[in-house]
């Protein structure tokens, strides 16, 4: 079977008023601009993140100097996830350009893999496993636990406040999948739960 896709933009809609067109052209929300003004694909549901985009960062990642490293522990069904990013505070923009996302890694194997990724740089670890953090410190990591409580909610709000979250298309497919999949939960009545 053949598949045809017809892409249209607001310019193809003869029923829009001049004010509608002006509003779409001046849209400041990047997600709405991409979908409603430029006609790009959107996502269904009550998504948490709309300020991200996937692109090839290979030409610029050597320029990243304000690196941030994070680890979310996992083992069997939930993978260990390590993200390496660059934070541009001035532009309120973050670039995810390197990741490790894998199940079944023991502490010693994960320690070696992460050391290859980040060397002696600092890494913020999920505080759920103090014993593992002690192991990684013994392996020579400069690892720290987050200082804030309610970190997940704080982290989501902080990421939502950014102008743009750039995700490397080739090197961070799992980060891409994570950002795509985050949706607000709904109550039985269909109300959004934080």
């Amino acid at each position: 079977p053949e598949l045809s896709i017809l892409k249209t933009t607001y310019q193809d809609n003869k029923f829009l008023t001049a004010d509608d067109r002006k509003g779409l052209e001046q849209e400041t929300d990047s997600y709405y601009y991409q979908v409603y003004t430029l006609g790009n694909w959107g996502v269904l549901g009550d998504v948490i993140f709309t300020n991200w985009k996937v692109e090839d960062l290979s030409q610029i990642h050597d320029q990243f100097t304000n690196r941030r490293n994070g680890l979310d522990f996992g083992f069997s069904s939930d993978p260990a996830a390590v993200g390496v990013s660059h934070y541009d505070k001035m532009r309120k923009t973050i670039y995810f350009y390197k990741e490790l996302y894998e199940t079944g890694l023991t502490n010693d194997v994960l320690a070696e893999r992460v050391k290859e990724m980040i060397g002696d740089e600092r890494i913020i670890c999920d505080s759920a496993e103090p014993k593992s953090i002690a192991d990684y410190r013994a392996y020579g990591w400069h690892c720290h636990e987050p200082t804030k409580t309610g970190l997940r909610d704080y982290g989501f709000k902080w990421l939502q406040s950014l102008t743009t979250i750039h995700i490397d298309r080739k090197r961070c497919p799992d980060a891409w999948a994570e950002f795509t999949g985050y949706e607000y939960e709904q109550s039985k009545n269909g109300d959004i739960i934080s």
Side-chain angles (χ1 to χ4, degrees):
E2 291 186 27
L3 171 69
S4 295
I5 297 174
L6 174 65
K7 178 181 174 180
T8 62
T9 70
Y10 75 101
Q11 294 173 334
D12 300 303
N13 187 342
K14 63 183 180 183
F15 300 105
L16 291 177
T17 66
D19 286 343
D20 291 334
R21 290 180 182 280
K22 185 176 179 182
L24 286 165
E25 290 165 355
Q26 296 176 349
E27 178 61 59
T28 58
D29 182 293
S30 62
Y31 176 77
Y32 287 105
Y33 184 78
Q34 286 294 318
V35 174
Y36 298 108
T37 306
L38 300 181
N40 293 323
W41 289 95
V43 293
L44 297 174
D46 294 309
V47 294
I48 293 175
F49 300 107
T50 59
N51 58 340
W52 59 276
K53 61 182 175 178
V54 177
E55 57 196 320
D56 182 4
L57 301 177
S58 62
Q59 300 299 314
I60 60 172
H61 70 78
D62 288 341
Q63 302 167 24
F64 297 153
T65 55
N66 192 11
R67 288 168 53 130
R68 303 285 200 253
N69 307 301
L71 165 65
D72 185 18
F73 293 112
F75 183 70
S76 56
S77 61
D78 186 30
V82 178
V84 179
S85 61
H86 166 76
Y87 178 48
D88 184 337
K89 189 174 185 176
M90 201 84 145
R91 292 182 177 88
K92 290 186 68 176
T93 301
I94 195 165
Y95 298 83
F96 286 99
Y97 65 98
K98 196 186 296 186
E99 72 176 20
L100 179 140
Y101 196 87
E102 205 170 317
T103 57
L105 299 179
T106 57
N107 282 354
D108 59 333
V109 174
L110 181 59
E112 285 179 32
R113 300 276 300 278
V114 172
K115 198 79 161 158
E116 290 170 10
M117 283 178 73
I118 68 169
D120 292 329
E121 292 179 16
R122 180 177 183 223
I123 188 166
I124 303 296
C125 298
D126 174 4
S127 58
E129 294 189 27
K131 182 181 172 289
S132 292
I133 292 173
D135 285 348
Y136 295 130
R137 285 184 179 139
Y139 294 131
W141 282 19
H142 298 285
C143 56
H144 303 273
E145 296 177 47
T147 54
K148 294 196 177 296
T149 57
L151 187 65
R152 183 178 173 137
D153 290 340
Y154 171 81
F156 277 22
K157 285 183 175 112
W158 183 80
L159 287 167
Q160 288 171 324
S161 77
L162 295 173
T163 305
T164 313
I165 299 167
H166 300 269
I167 303 170
D168 190 285
R169 178 185 324 279
K170 294 178 185 170
R171 297 176 77 183
C172 298
D174 296 298
W176 179 5
E178 289 279 338
F179 275 95
T180 303
Y182 281 118
E183 291 185 11
Y184 289 105
E185 290 184 61
Q186 292 185 1
S187 70
K188 294 176 194 174
N189 301 332
D191 298 324
I192 292 175
I193 302 169
S194 176

